[in-house]
Amino acid sequence: MKIRRISAAAAMVAAGALVLSACQTPGEEEGDDAGIDQSTAVTVGWNQSYYEYNDDSATGNATANANINYMLNAGFNYYDADLNLVQDTSFGSYEKLSDDPLTVEYTINDDQKWSDGTPVTAADLLMYWGAVSGNFNTEEFETDAEGTPIDENGDPVPEDQLANSVFFNATVDTVALIEDMPEISEDGQTITFTYTKPFADWETNLSMGVPAHVVAMHALGIEDPTEAKQALVDAFANNDAEALAPISEFWNTGFQFGDTLPDDESLYLSSGAYVLDDFVRDQYITLKANPDYTGEHAAQIETVTVRFNEDPMAQVQALENGELDLISPQASADTLTALEDLGDGFEVLTGIGPTYEHVDLVFNNGGPFDPATYDGDEDTALAVRQAFLKLIPRQEIIDRIITPLNPEAEVRESYSQTPSAPGYGPITEVNGMAEAYPVDGDPEGAAQLLEDAGVETPVEVRMLTAADNVRRQDQLTLITQAVSADGLFEIVDVSSGDWGSELSDNSLYDASMFGWQSTSTAVTAPDANFRTGSINNMGGFSNDEVDGLFDQLQTETDPDAQIEILGQVETILVEEGFGNTIYQHPLITGYNAELQGVDPIALAPTIFWNFWEWSTTLTDDEGGGEESDA
């Protein structure tokens, strides 16, 4: 990512009240808080509230959760400033033992512990594999916005049926390539996975998730954490549906937060540099340095508070007032100008971020884009999808909202590649998006499609996006005006403050607009968005040819062949009217000049990736560390 550093030149304003002092270098041992100045604090602004500790679940899979968990929990690897994947050997290690069959061994260091004192072991990685592989599911259910399984009528599945059903609500098909029970060493610290076939992105395929002992203690009613952990291992090893059913139910919903921190502290344990200390939903979450953390990414800052506000200008004002020290708000020309005008006490970074904006359609909810609405007529449903997408004013959105910020901004024409990626040109040359869905819209083509299909207009479309996000509401206004101009469609605004969790319940909407933020450079990353039943495939899209192409991609190691496969996938997505891509998000970061080490990257967790390198010269007794209503 190219970063442009701006030196603000307007009148000086008071420096932010929350700043840091450099008292510990990464890698220092922390026993008894050694090396941490307990008066240091920083307050960060973010646009969406934390709401679930399990960010691997269908409901918790959101950047707002993952950013916080990144600071809470340690793992095997991370991306550095140059987007190189780096092993964190202070947590553990992994190595490929064999290519045929692909065999990978992970070892967790003996000194790693959860914040309740329970050792981090191979059982915790087993928990992740068992849950997201989908290998143990005995039934598949749709879920509502809270992650509760529902039947075809939208009613909760009866408890007696759930009691006998294993259903982990988030499946990652690349993890499902590991079908056999992994081998765990006698000391419980090493686990070995054997794949059913070669897989190019094996190094980013597995990660640490929620604590295994917590899941088993709650699900199986076992008080001793060691005993609970063994019971969980046995349940997976024996494919014991009676035990796995409650384990899956708790994994799905047991880590969801209400308005404050749960009374049960086991629901938000830490294995990393910080522990959760306080939380008020939609206002703030506070993290404190973990005194028992022994890894190389030790906190230099005693307290990190993240405050939530979707209004970019309100974040800029809070930065100026010293209520925030670091922000990376939704970018706009007004936001950039306001940051540049703050003065020499602040730094501003700009660039292209890891997120792209898009509109997706729902294929299976009985709505306007579902063949079931037209007595199973696939062609009619396809015509309605294509007509709607032809009316999305992508260029107008760029011109009105993005170009003032980035004069070189262009409509993004790929589902899988950023405009700067080597594969973007070859894929956009073949996928047909520009022709099928012209950036300036195609009202005549849309009208003809609906007329030929014999569909009565206007077609009602419920559209879900963030209710409190100014930029998305502006985009929704432009879309509403464009699709309703000729009476072809009527937008029903179902925007919500809880849009992130509601995405998993597509009975609530027919089209959605939000951003996907890249978390890795893996070529197989799009698999989760478009494969049948995958975690990010919210709209119920299903295509056997696409699934087969992703099967090929998993084992393909030649870069040119990988791009060719993705081009074929994207051609089908365009033809089937999956949705529209709109633009790559510009990235703006503003921060108090006393805060050092800020260096956002073009992958999640963006500004948070190197939190252990943050430092400052100010202390929290100047006011910023106090909690108040946002």
Side-chain angles (χ1 to χ4, degrees):
M1 176 180 61
K2 294 182 179 179
I3 295 291
R4 180 166 63 100
R5 186 176 297 272
I6 299 170
S7 178
M12 283 285 291
V13 296
L18 282 184
V19 287
L20 322 171
S21 65
C23 300
Q24 177 176 337
T25 57
E28 277 189 303
E29 296 186 1
E30 281 202 28
D32 298 322
D33 289 339
I36 300 176
D37 183 341
Q38 296 189 36
S39 68
T40 57
V42 62
T43 303
V44 184
W46 197 254
N47 64 355
Q48 184 185 1
S49 179
Y50 187 84
Y51 61 89
E52 183 169 345
Y53 178 81
N54 185 3
D55 60 45
D56 296 312
S57 76
T59 54
N61 179 32
T63 301
N65 299 319
N67 285 346
I68 303 300
N69 291 342
Y70 180 80
M71 294 187 284
L72 293 178
N73 293 320
F76 286 100
N77 52 37
Y78 64 97
Y79 283 96
D80 68 12
D82 298 317
L83 303 188
N84 298 309
L85 190 65
V86 181
Q87 285 202 40
D88 181 0
T89 56
S90 68
F91 174 77
S93 60
Y94 57 87
E95 62 175 326
K96 181 169 63 173
L97 302 181
S98 168
D99 284 310
D100 187 20
L102 175 59
T103 307
V104 184
E105 178 185 87
Y106 295 81
T107 299
I108 300 166
N109 295 344
D110 292 339
D111 61 348
Q112 297 304 295
K113 298 182 184 299
W114 295 101
S115 50
D116 66 351
T118 303
V120 181
T121 67
D124 297 301
L125 189 52
L126 178 76
M127 176 75 259
Y128 176 86
W129 165 76
V132 304
S133 68
N135 293 341
F136 296 90
N137 284 359
T138 60
E139 289 199 53
E140 295 294 333
F141 298 105
E142 298 294 328
T143 59
D144 63 15
E146 285 72 44
T148 302
I150 54 177
D151 60 23
E152 62 274 8
N153 299 316
D155 298 320
V157 175
E159 289 188 11
D160 59 341
Q161 183 179 351
L162 279 179
N164 300 311
S165 302
V166 181
F167 172 60
F168 293 99
N169 68 14
T171 298
V172 178
D173 291 274
T174 57
V175 177
L177 294 176
I178 307 167
E179 295 181 359
D180 296 336
M181 179 71 184
E183 298 179 10
I184 296 179
S185 64
E186 199 168 308
D187 66 359
Q189 297 304 120
T190 297
I191 184 169
T192 304
F193 295 91
T194 302
Y195 286 72
T196 57
K197 62 181 181 180
F199 177 53
D201 292 321
W202 64 268
E203 199 169 358
T204 56
N205 198 34
L206 295 170
S207 63
M208 304 299 294
V210 295
H213 70 285
V214 173
V215 175
M217 290 170 73
H218 284 269
L220 304 178
I222 300 173
E223 294 185 4
D224 180 74
T226 302
E227 181 185 345
K229 191 172 292 193
Q230 186 59 52
L232 183 136
V233 172
D234 293 342
F236 282 116
N238 300 322
N239 199 2
D240 181 355
E242 184 176 354
L244 290 175
I247 286 173
S248 66
E249 182 178 3
F250 188 84
W251 188 90
N252 291 343
T253 62
F255 295 97
Q256 295 174 350
F257 278 30
D259 292 332
T260 59
L261 285 182
D263 293 334
D264 184 350
E265 294 183 5
S266 72
L267 300 181
Y268 53 92
L269 296 183
S270 165
S271 63
Y274 285 98
V275 294
L276 286 188
D277 183 66
D278 196 5
F279 170 71
V280 176
R281 188 167 182 147
D282 296 325
Q283 293 188 30
Y284 63 85
I285 191 165
T286 300
L287 293 73
K288 294 284 189 180
N290 182 0
D292 299 318
Y293 174 68
T294 59
E296 293 180 355
H297 296 160
Q300 297 192 60
I301 311 307
E302 170 62 17
T303 304
V304 173
T305 298
V306 180
R307 292 190 177 279
F308 310 117
N309 192 323
E310 293 212 36
D311 185 343
M313 296 305 292
Q315 287 194 30
V316 175
Q317 185 65 54
L319 180 65
E320 180 179 15
N321 294 343
E323 298 164 14
L324 296 176
D325 301 298
L326 169 63
I327 64 173
S328 188
Q330 291 275 328
S332 70
D334 290 341
T335 306
L336 179 57
T337 298
L339 282 170
E340 291 176 344
D341 288 344
L342 287 184
D344 291 336
F346 299 89
E347 294 284 352
V348 182
L349 307 178
T350 65
I352 299 299
T355 303
Y356 74 91
E357 196 78 355
H358 59 99
V359 171
D360 292 349
L361 307 184
V362 179
F363 286 66
N364 64 346
N365 68 344
F369 307 123
D370 182 353
T373 300
Y374 312 100
D375 297 323
D377 188 335
E378 298 274 357
D379 291 338
T380 298
L382 174 59
V384 177
R385 292 195 300 270
Q386 291 175 335
F388 184 77
L389 295 177
K390 281 179 178 292
L391 296 174
I392 303 296
R394 297 192 291 161
Q395 188 63 55
E396 184 179 10
I397 291 173
I398 298 290
D399 293 342
R400 298 275 294 272
I401 299 175
I402 306 302
T403 300
L405 178 64
N406 176 11
E408 299 179 358
E410 297 180 351
V411 173
R412 171 167 162 155
E413 299 278 18
S414 170
Y415 298 103
S416 67
Q417 304 293 301
T418 64
S420 60
Y424 183 80
I427 285 179
T428 56
E429 287 176 5
V430 301
N431 68 11
M433 185 182 294
E435 295 76 22
Y437 310 120
V439 296
D440 292 316
D442 182 11
E444 292 182 3
Q448 191 65 55
L449 281 168
L450 295 177
E451 181 180 341
D452 292 346
V455 175
E456 184 177 345
T457 58
V459 178
E460 186 177 284
V461 177
R462 298 169 300 161
M463 195 153 188
L464 174 67
T465 192
D468 302 321
N469 186 300
V470 176
R471 183 166 67 185
R472 291 212 169 103
Q473 286 300 306
D474 289 343
Q475 292 169 183
L476 181 58
T477 297
L478 295 176
I479 291 172
T480 300
Q481 292 170 348
V483 305
S484 61
D486 295 321
L488 301 180
F489 290 90
E490 178 183 347
I491 295 291
V492 177
D493 183 3
V494 293
S495 298
S496 170
D498 295 322
W499 65 272
S501 59
E502 290 179 358
L503 281 171
S504 62
D505 181 6
N506 67 26
S507 69
L508 301 174
Y509 63 96
D510 307 308
S512 60
M513 178 173 58
F514 61 101
W516 281 128
Q517 186 171 95
S518 299
T519 60
S520 81
T521 59
V523 70
T524 54
D527 190 305
N529 290 24
F530 309 117
R531 183 188 287 272
T532 301
S534 282
I535 182 172
N536 292 343
N537 187 350
M538 310 291 189
F541 172 77
S542 179
N543 184 283
D544 290 341
E545 188 175 355
V546 167
D547 294 347
L549 287 166
F550 277 124
D551 287 343
Q552 294 179 38
L553 186 64
Q554 289 173 353
T555 59
E556 181 57 67
T557 57
D558 179 71
D560 292 336
Q562 291 171 342
I563 293 302
E564 183 179 346
I565 292 170
L566 285 172
Q568 295 177 55
V569 168
E570 292 206 15
T571 299
I572 296 171
L573 295 175
V574 169
E575 293 172 348
E576 291 296 310
F578 177 89
N580 264 342
T581 55
I582 307 178
Y583 59 85
Q584 197 73 23
H585 279 218
L587 182 68
I588 295 178
T589 301
Y591 60 98
N592 187 301
E594 299 293 343
L595 174 59
Q596 302 296 312
V598 176
D599 185 20
I601 60 173
L603 289 174
T606 58
I607 59 174
F608 296 99
W609 81 267
N610 66 335
F611 64 85
W612 59 88
E613 295 179 346
W614 293 349
S615 62
T616 191
T617 57
L618 299 183
T619 58
D620 113 4
D621 59 5
E622 300 183 42
E626 298 175 2
E627 274 117 18
S628 61
D629 292 343

